[in-house]
Amino acid sequence: MQQNRSQVTERDGLFELEAGSDVLDSPRYNHDMAPTKVRERTWNKWHITALWIGMSVCVPTYTLGGVLTAYFGLTVGEALMAILLANVIVLIPLTLNAFPGTKYGIPFPVLLRSSFGVLGSNVPCLIRALVACGWFGIQTMFGGLAIHLFLGSIFDGWKSLGGTGEVIGFMIFWSLNLWVVIRGAESIKWLETLSAPLLVAVGIGLLVWAMPNVSMTELLAIPPKRPEGASVVSYFAAGLTAMVGFWATLSLNIPDFSRYAKSQKDQILGQIFGLPLTMFLFASLGVVMTAASVKLVGVTVSDPVSLIGHIQSPMWVALAMALIIIATLSTNTAANIVSPTNDFQNIAPKVINRTKAVLLTGFVGLALMAHELLKKLGLIVSDVSLETVYSNWLLGYSSLLGPIAGIMVVDYFLIKKQQLDLAGLYRDDVYPAWNWAGFTAFGVPVVLTLLSLGSDVFSWFYSYGWFTGSALGGVIYYGLCSMRSSPSVVKSSV
């Protein structure tokens, strides 16, 4: 017989929901969004380490050093230091926002119901989802190109397909990504676990190939592309902000993964082991490989897919492309599909299940890349590269999400004192439908950041947007919640 009232139990610091009819019949609940059971929290620190290796080893990471030297005026050494420091910094919100996911087993959209309201949570969720769908499309472009080059190295006739072959590769890779996520979290866990050592191996192999063709002394001595005598501080800070923005989105939806962690210790150590060093080393590899590409293939090539495509040996091209396909798959499934899948379900959990949400994510990503695909098929002619346009837009867009990170941390640790009503998060009678404190704390920094674009005096507010946004968002949210007359802490029902 089904119980009427949900029960929450605690086991070694991990909370578990035994859902009653009050939750099961709620329009805010479905099986995929439900808190994970303690027995389902099977990811240890090495699984989480592998997750971060799998997400960090990707084409955009490879190109980060070049972005910082070309567009932010840093030397190679300064660029690599900015990447390392940025990922140490972003560990703070990543680790803190992972705490409620591990403790209560809840995904990112459900956690947001505490700070933005049960219905209001859909606004930041959809903002986050759009960013992820854009990155999903871009990464699928890289994966599709790798499949095209892989098939071209095996079948001579495939190369003649040109852009049509790339589009076919895109659709194959697109389908493969959706299939992995539809199969569930265990499929993602094992994909990341199996791919991590392969990705480390391919990185070492590329480094061995490149090192005889590059002088590290000369590379580090290349002068920066900034005005002579200009202070490095402002250039470094702007580059640092951009690099923090690279994982700003994951610092929000990290509960989507930490809800499967065995313990807080596992999620903390896994992220420390997996993120900063992997990002630093693979970005360093990109700098070395780009510098060596002139001697290796006769022209400067800044992305690994195109560089390996210049190799004359079909066997080595096929092997390298297979590994790049695995690398891009492991990044795309975890970083760019899991979040929007949960975000779209949050709109109407009774109507949109995981399979429908995955397909919705896929079709939005496909739509965002439609222009580029039609161009490859020769159906339209355009000088605009949407990969470049979307990359620049998405990195800037990500920096505007800083206030959400600050609000989440302040809400959970300072306002709610790490105590949430687990069953109440899935009903309409505990948390407000719209929490205007959250929207105010989010809106003010975003408006100020956009206004600062047209001001020389306050341009620093935009340049350091993630830092200023997250700090100001957190402060405003704390101030607004502290002024409320009603009690701020909601005790867990046990």
Side-chain angles (χ1 to χ4, degrees), residues 39-187:
R39 66 175 181 275
E40 297 173 317
R41 302 178 201 181
T42 59
W43 295 31
N44 61 32
K45 58 182 177 291
W46 301 117
H47 292 126
I48 296 171
T49 299
L51 171 74
W52 277 108
I53 292 174
M55 289 196 293
S56 299
V57 178
C58 60
V59 174
T61 301
Y62 181 100
T63 62
L64 287 181
V67 169
L68 288 175
T69 55
Y71 299 107
F72 288 88
L74 301 182
T75 66
V76 169
E78 291 164 355
L80 296 179
M81 183 56 65
I83 291 168
L84 180 61
L85 182 58
N87 284 281
V88 171
I89 291 171
V90 85
L91 266 179
I92 298 171
L94 274 166
T95 303
L96 293 177
N97 282 329
F99 264 78
T102 301
K103 181 175 180 178
Y104 291 102
I106 52 176
F108 165 64
V110 174
L111 176 60
L112 274 188
R113 294 173 183 177
S114 172
S115 51
F116 284 86
V118 175
L119 295 178
S121 62
N122 286 300
V123 175
C125 280
L126 291 177
I127 293 173
R128 169 66 182 99
L130 183 60
V131 176
C133 289
W135 280 119
F136 168 63
I138 292 171
Q139 290 277 17
T140 304
M141 278 290 183
F142 288 125
L145 176 59
I147 288 179
H148 171 64
L149 293 173
F150 173 78
L151 294 174
S153 68
I154 298 176
F155 308 109
D156 291 335
W158 189 272
K159 295 179 182 178
S160 64
L161 293 174
T164 302
E166 291 185 40
V167 173
I168 295 172
F170 178 97
M171 295 309 302
I172 292 172
F173 192 71
W174 181 86
S175 302
L176 189 58
N177 277 267
L178 302 189
W179 177 77
V180 169
V181 181
I182 286 174
R183 288 177 59 85
E186 282 298 299
S187 293

Side-chain angles (χ1 to χ4, degrees), residues 28 109-122 411 416 424-439 477 481 484 486-488 490:
R28 315 299 165 207
V110 174
L111 176 60
L112 274 188
R113 294 173 183 177
S114 172
S115 51
F116 284 86
V118 175
L119 295 178
S121 62
N122 286 300
D411 179 71
K416 303 303 192 309
L425 289 169
Y426 293 89
R427 303 198 309 261
D428 292 323
D429 58 349
V430 175
Y431 296 93
W434 299 84
N435 185 356
W436 295 108
F439 281 97
Y477 185 77
C481 291
R484 288 176 176 170
S486 58
S488 298
V490 181

Side-chain angles (χ1 to χ4, degrees), residues 295-318:
K295 290 185 179 179
L296 289 170
V297 299
V299 63
T300 299
V301 182
S302 60
D303 89 78
V305 180
S306 299
L307 178 60
I308 294 169
H310 282 82
I311 300 174
Q312 297 302 312
S313 169
M315 182 190 72
W316 284 111
V317 171

